[in-house]
Amino acid sequence: MGNYRSVQVTKGPGGWGGPLVIRPTDQKKYIASVTGGGIHPVAQKIADLTGGVAVDGFSSKVEPEEMACVVIDCGGTARCGVYPKLGVLTVDVTAASPSGPLASFIKEDNFVSGVKADQIHASDETAAALPTDESAAQPKTAKELKDEARAKVAELQANKPQKKPNFIERIGRGMGNVVNIFYQAGRDTVDQVIRNILPFMAFVSTLIGIILYTGVGDFLAHVISPLAGNLIGLLIISVVAALPFLSPLLGPGAVIAQVVGVLVGVEIGRGNIPPQLALPALFAINPQVGCDFVPVGLTLGEAKPETIEVGVPAVLMSRLITGPVAVVIAYLMSFGLYSGE
Amino acid sequence: MDMFVHIAEGFIGMFQKGGETFVGLVTGIIPTLICLITAVNAFIKFVGEERISRFAQKCTGNIILRYTVFPVLSMFFLTNPMAYTFGKFLPEHQKPAFYDSAVSFCHPITGLFPHANPAELFVYMGIATGITQLGLSLGPLAIRFFLVGLIVILIRGIVTEYITKAMMKKREAQAA
C-alpha cells in the first residue's frame, strides 16, 4: 500500500462545483493532466500533496479507471462532461459551469472548476477515503438506476401487448409513444437552446454591439479584411491556425473560431468582404477544430494507448496539409455563389 | 457634466446596439432552430441507436464511405462529442483518421443540421449573419458548406490514415 494523502479542492473565483476530496489509491494513482501540453501546475500540486503520479494525458494515455482525478482546461463542452460521465473526478482550471450534451453528468460531487494552485489544500485523512469512492461511484449508480427504470418500463410495455389489447388500445398506446418521443425531443431541444445557444448569442450580441457602436469595427476591418478578403490571406489564416503547437490551444470550445467567425460575418455584412468568400472563410478559421480533443476523442473510440500516442501527432500534422487544402477547395467551390444576385 | 452625460450615453449605446442584435438573433433564428432541432431529435429517437450502429458498420470497409458516410452518420445521430465513440468499430490504425474526419464535420453539418453541435453553432452563424444582412439567402451557403465539408473530411481521413500508418511502421521498426 502506498502512503497516499488526500487533498481538498475547492472551486476558484467564478468556478462551479466541488469541493472535491481527492485521494489516490494503488489502483487509482494517476493525476492525469489533459491540458494540451505538459503537466499543469494544478495537476503537479495535487500529485505533490497526495503522493500520486502526475502524467500528461496528452502524450501518454491513462485508463480512466486508473485516474485518481483528471485536470482539464476546457471552457467548452466536451471534456467537461466526458470525464464525469466516465466516473472520474474532474478538476477544471477554467471557470466553466455545466453545459453541453453531457451536462447532466456534471455534478457538484464529481466536478470542480476555476481551480488554481491556491484552491488545493491538504485535508484530513480520515474524512477522505470514503467520500472519494462514493462520489466517484455516484454518477454511475444514478445512471444504472435510470437504466433499470427504463428497462422496467420497456418490459411493461413489451408485456402488455401479449394480453392482446384491442385495436383502439393499441392505437392509443402508439400515439402516446409518438407524442412522448416528440415531447422529450422538444424538452432536449429547449434545454440545449437555453444552456448552449442563448448564452452564446448573448455574448456574440454584446460583441457585435461594441464592434458596431464604437468603431472598433472599422479598425478591425483594416486588420482583418486584407486577410479574410482574399485567397492568400485566408490561406495564411488557415496555416497559422493549423500549426501543431498552436492548434491544441486554439481548439477549446471552438471559441476562437466562433469569435473570428463573428468578426468576418460583420465585415461581410458591411460589404468589406465579398459574400462568396464566406465559404472558404468558414474553413480558414477552423483548421484547428478538435485538435485539443484528440486524446479524449480517441479514448471515446476505445483506442489503445499506443494508438493515441501516434494519433495525436498524426492528426496535428495532417491538419497542416489538409487545412490549406480545405480552403483552396472551398474557394474553388465558391465560384458562382451569390454572384448572380 | 456634459462630458459625463456623453460618456454614459455612449456606454449605454453600445449595449443598446447589442440588445438590438440579440433580439434580432432570438426572434430570427431561435424559433426555426427549436422546431428543426426538435424534429431531428425525435427522428433520431425513432430510428434508434442500434439500427444506426449496424448500418454504420457496413460503411467502414470501403475507404471512401469510411471517411464520408460513416463520420456523417455518427455526427448526425450521436452528435458532438459522442460521435467519436463510433471509432470503436474500426481497427486501431484507422481510429485517428476517423476521429479527424468526424471532428472536422462537426461544423459543416451545422448549416443544415444545427442539432449536431448547437454549442458551437456560431462558427457558422457568425459568418452567416453577414450574408443575411446583405439580404442574401443562406441555403446556398449551407449546402455548399456541407458538400465541401464532405470532400474535406474524405481528404483529411485519407491523409491522416496514411500518416498514422507511416508513424506506426516507423515505431515498429524502431522497436524491432
Side-chain angles (χ1 to χ4, degrees):
Chain A
M1 292 284 118
N3 42 348
Y4 297 112
R5 294 167 300 280
S6 50
V7 289
Q8 191 181 42
V9 183
T10 50
K11 66 179 176 202
W16 189 92
L20 297 184
V21 175
I22 294 165
R23 182 197 174 95
T25 61
D26 279 334
Q27 285 78 40
K28 296 172 175 258
K29 60 183 170 194
Y30 293 111
I31 315 292
S33 179
V34 189
T35 47
I39 291 167
H40 195 275
V42 166
Q44 192 57 53
K45 186 169 179 193
I46 295 176
D48 290 345
L49 285 176
T50 57
V53 183
V55 285
D56 180 2
F58 215 82
S59 57
S60 54
K61 200 214 165 188
V62 188
E63 291 297 333
E65 300 88 77
E66 293 175 348
M67 293 178 183
C69 73
V70 60
V71 177
I72 57 172
D73 63 349
C74 179
T77 52
R79 261 173 292 174
C80 282
V82 168
Y83 288 108
K85 185 170 190 288
L86 292 172
V88 181
L89 296 178
T90 306
V91 177
D92 195 346
V93 297
T94 318
S97 55
S99 70
L102 300 178
S104 54
F105 296 101
I106 303 174
K107 305 251 164 58
E108 286 179 346
D109 57 21
N110 61 19
F111 183 86
V112 60
S113 69
V115 176
K116 296 187 178 58
D118 295 342
Q119 270 88 44
I120 303 163
H121 302 283
S123 77
D124 194 353
E125 265 189 48
T126 47
L130 270 177
T132 319
D133 290 343
E134 253 175 28
S135 53
Q138 236 168 27
K140 260 192 187 165
T141 42
K143 202 186 167 253
E144 275 165 23
L145 276 180
K146 238 188 229 168
D147 287 346
E148 256 173 50
R150 235 178 247 153
K152 260 181 208 163
V153 171
E155 219 174 282
L156 279 178
Q157 279 173 345
N159 280 342
K160 275 190 180 167
Q162 286 171 355
K163 289 185 216 155
K164 283 190 187 170
N166 66 35
F167 185 63
I168 299 199
E169 239 181 76
R170 245 188 333 218
I171 291 188
R173 199 168 292 133
M175 283 304 291
N177 228 336
V178 171
V179 170
N180 251 337
I181 285 183
F182 268 106
Y183 183 48
Q184 186 53 43
R187 201 165 14 196
D188 290 351
T189 307
V190 171
D191 211 43
Q192 286 274 24
V193 168
I194 290 175
R195 238 194 319 235
N196 295 322
I197 300 179
L198 274 176
F200 212 87
M201 275 188 175
F203 164 57
V204 164
S205 306
T206 313
L207 200 68
I208 293 181
I210 295 173
I211 292 173
L212 290 181
Y213 192 85
T214 56
V216 173
D218 294 317
F219 171 74
L220 286 171
H222 290 294
V223 180
I224 290 185
S225 307
L227 278 180
N230 62 69
L231 178 62
I232 307 293
L234 289 172
L235 282 174
I236 294 173
I237 296 178
S238 74
V239 171
V240 171
L243 289 175
F245 56 90
L246 272 183
S247 52
L249 300 175
L250 295 176
V255 171
I256 304 276
Q258 305 202 45
V259 171
V260 177
V262 168
L263 292 175
V264 173
V266 169
E267 291 313 314
I268 289 175
R270 295 169 149 203
N272 290 334
I273 296 175
Q276 68 272 19
L277 280 188
L279 189 61
L282 279 165
F283 288 93
I285 62 175
N286 216 14
Q288 77 281 9
V289 59
C291 280
D292 59 315
F293 199 61
V294 190
V296 189
L298 286 173
T299 307
L300 286 172
E302 294 171 18
K304 288 194 189 123
E306 308 87 71
T307 311
I308 295 182
E309 274 166 40
V310 173
V312 174
V315 170
L316 298 187
M317 272 159 59
S318 158
R319 288 300 168 87
L320 210 46
I321 304 166
T322 57
V325 168
V327 176
V328 172
I329 294 172
Y331 183 77
L332 296 177
M333 291 285 285
S334 74
F335 290 148
L337 180 67
Y338 300 126
S339 61
E341 291 163 82
Chain B
M1 199 59 210
D2 271 3
M3 197 185 75
F4 284 112
V5 172
H6 227 76
I7 291 174
E9 274 175 356
F11 184 73
I12 282 301
M14 281 195 295
F15 301 111
Q16 271 168 347
K17 196 85 195 165
E20 277 169 37
T21 314
F22 185 70
V23 170
L25 288 175
V26 170
T27 55
I29 298 172
I30 297 245
T32 321
L33 213 58
I34 287 185
C35 295
L36 178 64
I37 297 180
T38 303
V40 176
N41 276 347
F43 174 67
I44 291 170
K45 284 182 211 284
F46 278 123
V47 176
E49 210 172 296
E50 288 158 36
R51 242 171 290 181
I52 296 308
S53 303
R54 239 177 300 151
F55 183 77
Q57 256 174 299
K58 282 187 195 157
C59 304
T60 59
N62 175 300
I63 191 165
I64 306 282
L65 294 180
R66 180 159 71 233
Y67 299 122
T68 54
V69 175
F70 184 53
V72 172
L73 281 179
S74 61
M75 200 40 89
F76 185 94
F77 285 96
L78 302 188
T79 75
N80 180 40
M82 293 320 281
Y84 318 123
T85 57
F86 265 12
K88 67 181 173 221
F89 296 137
L90 294 169
E92 290 292 322
H93 69 272
Q94 290 169 356
K95 281 179 182 174
F98 163 72
Y99 169 78
D100 200 5
S101 176
V103 83
S104 297
F105 207 63
C106 76
H107 293 125
I109 198 174
T110 53
L112 293 176
F113 303 108
H115 76 283
N117 194 11
E120 293 169 8
L121 200 54
F122 267 91
V123 174
Y124 172 71
M125 285 313 307
I127 287 185
T129 310
I131 303 288
T132 319
Q133 256 169 28
L134 294 177
L136 300 170
S137 130
L138 282 182
L141 179 65
I143 290 168
R144 288 191 196 213
F145 193 23
F146 192 90
L147 292 178
V148 177
L150 269 183
I151 301 172
V152 168
I153 63 170
L154 175 62
I155 296 174
R156 213 160 258 182
I158 293 171
V159 171
T160 309
E161 187 183 313
Y162 177 79
I163 296 178
T164 313
K165 269 189 196 157
M167 285 175 69
M168 282 181 164
K169 241 183 225 162
K170 204 175 159 195
R171 196 168 254 235
E172 276 165 30
Q174 273 173 352

